[in-house]
Amino acid sequence: MKIQEAAEQLGMTTRAIRFYEQKGLLPPLTKEQNGYRIFNETDMNRLRTIGALREMNLSIEQIRCCIVFAILVKM
């Protein structure tokens, strides 16, 4: 799904999603030939997690640590 659809489904702005991508909170996204970002279910789950952690007033760096920890636990 494209960024606008993802934003609507998640209740986020496209600007917020781009910000999280810029800050490295999202893995490299697949892009269509025209350059549009494509979000898969894994990306959507990551964005849901980021949104929940932001609602808890965690900083970007704290969220990054949570994501890294979650990835390491899955290994």
Side-chain angles (χ1 to χ4, degrees):
M1 93 179 46
K2 294 180 182 172
I3 192 167
Q4 186 63 45
E5 296 167 297
E8 289 172 5
Q9 193 174 75
L10 296 167
M12 292 182 177
T13 64
T14 57
R15 184 176 180 187
I17 293 172
R18 287 185 188 102
F19 175 77
Y20 299 143
E21 181 184 13
Q22 175 194 9
K23 293 298 182 180
L25 299 180
L26 294 172
L29 298 172
T30 305
K31 293 188 179 184
E32 291 182 336
Q33 288 181 346
N34 59 11
Y36 289 166
R37 297 167 178 86
I38 299 298
F39 294 84
N40 61 32
E41 194 56 39
T42 302
D43 301 325
M44 296 296 286
N45 287 335
R46 173 77 60 93
L47 284 165
R48 282 185 196 93
T49 300
I50 292 168
L53 294 171
R54 289 296 290 157
E55 285 183 15
M56 295 169 50
N57 293 320
L58 269 67
S59 70
I60 295 299
E61 192 54 41
Q62 290 170 318
I63 292 171
R64 184 184 328 281
C65 290
C66 291
I67 290 170
V68 169
F69 179 75
I71 291 168
L72 291 174
V73 167
K74 287 183 181 181
M75 296 176 108

